[in-house]
């Protein structure tokens, strides 16, 4: 069937786009976590900075995934199954 390969290509393209957005958002979150951790280190020391950095790092991974999925979800898609 000719249409089947087109849908597979479109699905692969969306997957790659999702991954690229995730990596871009993740890099942005990593920089934010690093610089905020550095700021905290200057104010309160290394131990507090490590906790803040790790919390922000893992939180930014989750936020990056949510943003990437939100950006790459097709406009007409609905979440309810009928």
């Amino acid at each position: 069937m000719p249409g089947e390969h087109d849908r597979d290509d479109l699905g692969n393209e969306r997957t790659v786009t999702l991954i690229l957005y995730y990596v871009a958002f993740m890099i942005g979150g990593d920089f934010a976590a690093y610089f905020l951790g550095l700021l905290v280190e200057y104010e309160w020391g290394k131990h507090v900075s490590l906790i803040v950095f790790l919390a922000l790092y893992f939180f930014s991974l989750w936020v990056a995934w949510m943003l990437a999925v939100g950006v790459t979800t097709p406009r007409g898609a609905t979440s309810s199954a009928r």
Side-chain angles (χ1 to χ4, degrees):
M1 291 185 182
E4 187 175 325
H5 293 294
D6 294 338
R7 282 184 289 191
D8 289 342
D9 291 342
L10 183 60
N12 289 340
E13 182 179 328
R14 285 185 182 155
T15 302
V16 170
T17 304
L18 173 69
I19 292 170
L20 290 175
Y21 272 111
Y22 176 65
V23 169
F25 289 136
M26 189 178 64
I27 289 170
D30 289 348
F31 279 120
Y34 172 74
F35 287 117
L36 286 171
L38 200 59
L39 180 68
V40 169
E41 183 177 347
Y42 287 137
E43 283 294 320
W44 292 288
K46 290 183 180 182
H47 297 298
V48 177
S49 172
L50 178 62
I51 294 168
V52 169
F53 170 77
L54 288 175
L56 288 173
Y57 177 78
F58 289 113
F59 180 72
S60 71
L61 293 178
W62 178 74
V63 169
W65 180 252
M66 291 294 124
L67 288 173
V69 169
V71 168
T72 58
T73 300
R75 295 291 176 231
T78 61
S79 61
S80 63
R82 293 181 184 199

